[in-house]
Amino acid sequence: MSDTETLPRSTVANSLASPQPRRKLNPTIKIVLGQIAVVGLWLGSWEWMSGRLIDPFFSSSPSAIGQQLVEWFRTGSIWPHLLITLQEFSVGLLVGSVVGVLVGFTLGRLPTTAAVLNPFVTVVYSMPKLALAPLFVLWFGIGFGSKIVLVALISFFLVFYNTFTGARDVDPLYINSLRIMGANRLTIYRRVVIPSAAVWVMTGLRIAVPQAVIGAVVGELISSNQGVGYIIANAGAFFNTTGVLAGVALVACVSVLLSQLIIVLERWATRWKQG
Amino acid sequence: MTYHGRRGTVSALSHVDFTLWQGEFVALLGPSGCGKSTLLNMVSGLIAPTSGRLAYRGKAINGPNTNIGYMTQRDSILPWRTTAQNIELPLQIRHLPARERREKVATYIEMVGLKGFENTYPSGLSGGMRKRVGLAQALVYEPETLLLDEPFGALDAILRLRMQAELLALMEKLGATVLFVTHDMDEAITLADRVVVMSARPARIIDEIEVGLPRPRNLEQLQFTAEYQEVRRRVWDNLGREIHSSEKEMANQ
């Protein structure tokens, strides 16, 4: 910046005229650098304080957590647990979102039925589904079943609610336009309702993914003998702070990765919005 | 309003009563918000009149009128379909074979000057380009009657003239019936066989003027002819009276 000021007038004008002046830092790089700085500051101060200001028994430290994670993957002891959690997540999410999409589209196009059910849906939607986890264990056992039900229920509501809104709010102008062209109900569904609501379905999925991961892990925390949640619960029972935090960090990483996948999918499905 | 087909009779919207004959190009001219679009929605069968009657080719209109091509004032092209896909849509609905669809789509894209934008989504097009996609979509299946709701309002003057000329040439070729809504007096006179002048709300027909200018028309020359000026004066007299009366109404309120 400062050397730009000393350049002759014409050069300054040229650099202003070009869409992206070369000497300026790309905003994306700036943001990423800022983010790296935040993480560095956070982990650095944590590492420094641990053992100096705070007893590592309570706070552990980034290096200890990192070592634990490396250890898990080096010995491979984490894999069976991680796979179990991922299975619970994916089966639950699949069941929940498929049912959510189907019910959402159906109710979205049946305004009267939707109006009748609306208050009940709101009540069930507002219920903390995680609080039901102990009941699911009672009903479906401590294994796979109870976690899948929990994950499916959580994802169902998020996907259903968004699909429902999307199917209900299709611009009637588009529907009318197709009716004049001679389209029947099925064609209108295929060409207008579904593509129009697809944006909402994707939003529902994007919100549902991290919640579904949490659902699977919490289900395991409450009672299980396998899964990342079980690892966390087990470490917690022995006051192993490092184990708990390593487990939580692993869950967070998995969740972020899965969310990124969905975002890519969402971009593809709504590519028409970018022009 | 009365809407006659060849064998046709009656239809109405309160105090609006007229007949559109087959092969005729009628312009509905009136101030914004006077109910011109409502009228087109009724002819298209999308909304039913609360009182009065409306018929197409002598039969009462019940439900969507699929004999027409309708270009609404607001963009009705689908934002998740590209230019080519949007124009192809009515042909897909009518189950035309793929080859024929491709040929027609190419012809109409060329006609509305959107070559090179076949695979662009509406979000990547300008307002005027989107209008042209809509026009091509309404024309591509060559419906016997066209309802056009201010189709060229968003276009710049040169493009507008070109599109008007294209529309006229095509209508003369197809022999289609056109009901054209506009608030532009010159556009109404240059294009139409008959100009129906409507008042501000509540909608009422003030006058019907036979344009009587010979076809085919040369749009670039037309506006400078004496006959054109004569028709224009008559339409203007009517509009002028309407403006005075609505101003009086406003003053009285």
Side-chain angles (χ1 to χ4, degrees):
Chain A
M1 288 300 282
S2 58
D3 55 350
T4 320
E5 284 162 18
T6 62
L7 287 174
R9 199 166 242 280
S10 62
T11 320
V12 176
N14 282 340
S15 76
L16 283 175
S18 70
Q20 267 190 326
R22 261 185 218 148
R23 277 167 200 281
K24 258 202 182 155
L25 212 49
N26 187 329
T28 336
I29 294 175
K30 254 192 202 167
I31 291 167
V32 172
L33 284 177
Q35 285 164 340
I36 290 172
V38 169
V39 173
L41 206 68
W42 172 49
L43 292 182
S45 55
W46 182 1
E47 186 72 43
W48 182 82
M49 282 193 282
S50 173
R52 286 189 178 82
L53 300 178
I54 313 166
D55 186 343
F57 176 77
F58 295 113
S59 70
S60 185
S61 68
S63 60
I65 294 167
Q67 267 168 24
Q68 176 66 268
L69 285 169
V70 169
E71 181 74 12
W72 277 345
F73 282 100
R74 197 177 52 79
T75 61
S77 65
I78 197 69
W79 282 116
H81 296 288
L82 190 56
L83 284 180
I84 284 287
T85 305
L86 282 176
Q87 274 171 34
E88 290 161 357
F89 158 82
S90 38
V91 176
L93 180 71
L94 188 72
V95 173
S97 45
V98 166
V99 179
V101 165
L102 291 178
V103 179
F105 269 117
T106 314
L107 283 188
R109 305 309 297 166
L110 297 172
T112 316
T113 319
V116 170
L117 294 177
N118 190 41
F120 308 110
V121 170
T122 313
V123 168
V124 183
Y125 184 70
S126 323
M127 280 189 330
K129 260 76 69 184
L130 289 176
L132 296 174
L135 282 184
F136 291 152
V137 173
L138 187 68
W139 296 338
F140 306 104
I142 66 160
F144 221 58
S146 56
K147 281 82 189 173
I148 286 175
V149 173
L150 184 63
V151 173
L153 191 71
I154 290 170
S155 2
F156 166 78
F157 269 98
L158 293 170
V159 174
F160 158 74
Y161 220 70
N162 280 283
T163 309
F164 172 71
T165 312
R168 195 189 46 192
D169 293 348
V170 178
D171 193 332
L173 181 70
Y174 300 143
I175 295 178
N176 286 338
S177 157
L178 258 80
R179 282 163 74 203
I180 301 251
M181 290 176 201
N184 57 24
R185 250 170 188 285
L186 194 74
T187 311
I188 289 174
Y189 243 90
R190 197 171 136 210
R191 304 290 186 201
V192 178
V193 179
I194 292 175
S196 166
V199 185
W200 290 84
V201 175
M202 292 312 298
T203 307
L205 273 178
R206 180 161 43 77
I207 304 168
V209 163
Q211 296 298 321
V213 173
I214 292 173
V217 172
V218 169
E220 291 164 354
L221 275 174
I222 286 179
S223 91
S224 70
N225 46 25
Q226 50 190 353
V228 180
Y230 164 73
I231 296 288
I232 295 173
N234 203 34
F238 292 99
F239 301 113
N240 173 2
T241 317
T242 307
V244 172
L245 291 177
V248 170
L250 180 61
V251 171
C253 287
V254 168
S255 185
V256 167
L257 277 179
L258 292 168
S259 294
Q260 286 305 315
L261 273 178
I262 288 290
I263 287 172
V264 170
L265 195 66
E266 190 182 14
R267 282 232 185 94
W268 176 81
T270 59
R271 60 199 180 285
W272 50 269
K273 280 193 163 180
Q274 285 116 48
Chain B
M1 170 216 166
T2 316
Y3 185 68
H4 288 233
R6 191 184 346 204
R7 296 158 286 166
T9 342
V10 230
S11 55
L13 176 134
S14 57
H15 303 291
V16 180
D17 195 347
F18 83 96
T19 308
L20 176 64
W21 300 101
Q22 177 158 24
E24 193 183 25
F25 196 129
V26 169
L28 277 177
L29 178 66
S32 301
C34 78
K36 301 181 300 261
S37 299
T38 314
L39 212 75
L40 288 200
N41 278 336
M42 286 186 181
V43 176
S44 71
L46 290 177
I47 55 174
T50 44
S51 67
R53 277 191 299 159
L54 202 92
Y56 186 87
R57 288 193 174 279
K59 284 194 200 122
I61 299 170
N62 271 322
N65 186 349
T66 55
N67 300 306
I68 61 166
Y70 186 8
M71 188 183 163
T72 50
Q73 197 175 3
R74 198 150 67 84
D75 285 331
S76 66
I77 54 171
L78 302 178
W80 48 85
R81 291 190 143 232
T82 62
T83 300
Q85 287 170 340
N86 260 305
I87 299 174
E88 193 186 9
L89 185 60
L91 304 177
Q92 269 177 333
I93 290 170
R94 276 149 208 256
H95 302 294
L96 256 76
R99 235 197 64 186
E100 207 175 322
R101 290 204 306 254
R102 264 200 308 277
E103 282 167 8
K104 287 205 169 201
V105 168
T107 312
Y108 279 85
I109 282 180
E110 176 96 59
M111 195 203 97
V112 295
L114 284 176
K115 238 178 155 218
F117 293 93
E118 290 89 345
N119 301 317
T120 311
Y121 290 101
S123 59
L125 300 173
S126 70
M129 287 161 117
R130 286 201 290 270
K131 284 277 166 209
R132 285 184 272 156
V133 178
L135 182 66
Q137 193 188 49
L139 289 172
V140 73
Y141 56 105
E142 293 168 9
E144 57 178 21
T145 302
L146 270 173
L147 309 181
L148 305 174
D149 197 349
E150 299 192 12
F152 305 140
L155 304 183
D156 64 75
I158 293 167
L159 192 60
R160 193 175 171 148
L161 194 67
R162 224 185 85 204
M163 296 290 296
Q164 287 170 343
E166 292 279 11
L167 179 70
L168 270 194
L170 201 77
M171 292 306 103
E172 279 155 12
K173 197 181 101 194
L174 298 175
T177 312
V178 183
L179 190 54
F180 189 101
V181 162
T182 180
H183 54 232
D184 179 334
M185 182 169 47
D186 288 308
E187 184 171 60
I189 301 167
T190 36
L191 296 177
D193 299 311
R194 185 152 54 103
V195 178
V196 174
V197 185
M198 288 175 74
S199 72
R201 268 176 204 281
R204 189 167 37 87
I205 291 181
I206 308 171
D207 199 8
E208 288 184 39
I209 295 148
E210 290 290 340
V211 174
L213 297 169
R215 290 192 190 275
R217 295 179 186 166
N218 181 342
L219 294 191
E220 281 117 86
Q221 311 281 309
L222 192 67
Q223 302 204 358
F224 306 107
T225 62
E227 296 98 313
Y228 179 87
Q229 293 301 332
E230 174 59 33
V231 179
R232 198 175 190 281
R233 187 160 38 243
R234 275 168 56 207
V235 176
W236 181 242
D237 283 347
N238 274 301
L239 277 181
R241 247 182 290 142
E242 173 56 26
I243 290 164
H244 283 304
S245 71
S246 66
E247 270 172 356
K248 250 183 239 160
E249 253 172 62
M250 275 185 184
N252 288 341
Q253 272 167 7

